[in-house]
Amino acid sequence: MSTFEKLSINTATIKKASLAEALDLSVAAGLQHIGLWRDKVAEVGLDTAVEMVRASGLSVSSLCRGGFLTAADGPGQAAALADNKAAILEAKALGTTEIIMVVGGLPDFSVSPGAVDGGGTAVAAAGGKDIVLARQRVADRLAELVPFALEHGVRLVLEPLHPMYAADRAVLSTLGQALDLAAPHPAEAVGVVVDTFHVWWDPSLREQIARAGAEGRIASYQVCDFNLPIASDALLSRGFMGDGVIDFATIGSWVAEAGYNGVVEVEIFNEGIWAQPFAEVVDTVKARYAELVAPHLG
Amino acid sequence: MSTFEKLSINTATIKKASLAEALDLSVAAGLQHIGLWRDKVAEVGLDTAVEMVRASGLSVSSLCRGGFLTAADGPGQAAALADNKAAILEAKALGTTEIIMVVGGLPDFSVSPGAVDGGGTAVAAAGGKDIVLARQRVADRLAELVPFALEHGVRLVLEPLHPMYAADRAVLSTLGQALDLAAPHPAEAVGVVVDTFHVWWDPSLREQIARAGAEGRIASYQVCDFNLPIASDALLSRGFMGDGVIDFATIGSWVAEAGYNGVVEVEIFNEGIWAQPFAEVVDTVKARYAELVAPHLG
């Protein structure tokens, strides 16, 4: 088994690469998977993207992203459902069963659904600051999407985001909360992602990773570091594994204990990394993965 | 009953005011309490500070701060115990029963115990990135401090900090975790503070506030807003109530439901606010408190 058999580089890590470049880089690096953002797919159109992926021989480990389910108004809710159904169909066409869901922030503060990370803009909308209600709306919209997801064999993968993004990106803040939200639905319809950047600080992390594994809901393990000081745009504080504060050995061992042995995605938003030559970024990801992540996955 | 009977302004909100100025401003504003940082006390010396507070007629609602208990090495641990015992004696002399505890970050990344917020510098130290071990050391040091605190009638008040500070300031990240840490000790020895900035995002907040109230551990309710975008120095993203994302009505009602009817402190770290004339800051705090906080405290 190759050290890199499970490694998948998400296109957000090499944000300025085209889809063609990202596919070529992954193949040249000897990888078998790639994580895609919808903006990269949209740049060439879905049909062309599907053809390019097929020609590359890579499998798509996940598609990012659906979500943004917190709208308080009818038109906003209808638009969110339509966009998520489109995302589900895109995922299916691209051959991945996993659509990553960033559930959205408080209606007054949430970035727009189409905003690409690193370029999001806040959109004012009715709905106030009531996070309890916003969370309830996520549950309601999720229930509406589950039948469509099941019908198409695509799993809605809830991503708890670091609490510093609770107002503008995701009112879903912990893995435990994600599992509570998933609980009414079958594991093939609603999963969770364990992203080290977002969850490393959680005092109940070991327990919740074990629970996620026992429930068969771990759809993806995503790794990157949490850099200090926090970047002036807090969204871009993600770093190469080893550059920040996260103990990958411990978290990786918990993920392995929970029975997860699937793909590991590396998704980094970082201006400095985006400015580097793509191939250098891929080399660094591989080296850090081999040193800090792979040895602990069992 | 005056609208402002429970209001206390923490000296960190008017960081550039001297202790004398802070006391005068609070008296002139018709307040009955003040929250003190140890640096303000140190500027004049403890004996003088005690005399000044007595002359002002104000009661000290809390002293900030003790803590920084995560050192992995013997000398670091001994220094932390000595500093916390000094803080307990200072609190007692100043007539407050509540010493606020910021428990410290990962040893490799924690700011130094003496660092004043807004001016902290990271101190490299042995101990690595293991947050599970760092949290255990907090529990161990706390157990060592409890007898001394009880002897002097001062309560160690655990402050969960927002998870974005888990590496550099406090591995204590949620109110539930604080209550678990407090559980082995009597409520008169170990309490918790509910600071809206740090906990507003927590999906288990209502439940944990209720639990804190039922256990008699709520030592302070602290209010300020969480501003977006996050300030370039993330520590300084606190704002006047109403300027950020927090729903004070809901959280205030939970605190009232939990039976807390004590002092409400306003503690804001914000460069813009620190640059304003002190009296203007106090006026704004009072206005926002009267509008957004006081009506929900029952």
Side-chain angles (χ1 to χ4, degrees), chain A residues 202-282:
Chain A
D202 185 345
S204 66
L205 187 58
R206 182 179 195 163
E207 170 193 348
Q208 297 303 329
I209 288 175
R211 175 183 168 205
E215 294 180 3
R217 295 198 194 267
I218 304 180
S220 184
Y221 179 45
Q222 297 192 345
V223 292
C224 75
D225 219 325
F226 187 102
N227 285 359
L228 280 185
I230 293 171
S232 59
D233 178 348
L235 195 70
L236 307 185
S237 217
R238 299 168 76 105
F240 287 126
M241 297 79 79
D243 285 356
V245 307
I246 295 177
D247 175 1
F248 290 95
T250 299
I251 298 177
S253 72
W254 293 344
V255 170
E257 277 170 20
Y260 183 74
N261 62 1
V263 173
V264 181
E265 265 191 42
V266 176
E267 186 188 38
I268 308 177
F269 313 138
N270 179 306
E271 287 284 2
I273 293 173
W274 287 340
Q276 293 175 23
F278 307 141
E280 271 182 33
V281 173
V282 172

Side-chain angles (χ1 to χ4, degrees), chain A residues 129 135 162 164 177 201 203 244, chain B residues 129 135 162 177 201 203 244:
Chain A
K129 300 178 179 179
R135 286 169 167 158
H162 193 285
M164 67 183 170
Q177 184 193 358
W201 58 270
Chain B
K129 299 176 178 180
R135 286 169 168 159
H162 193 286
Q177 184 193 357
W201 60 271

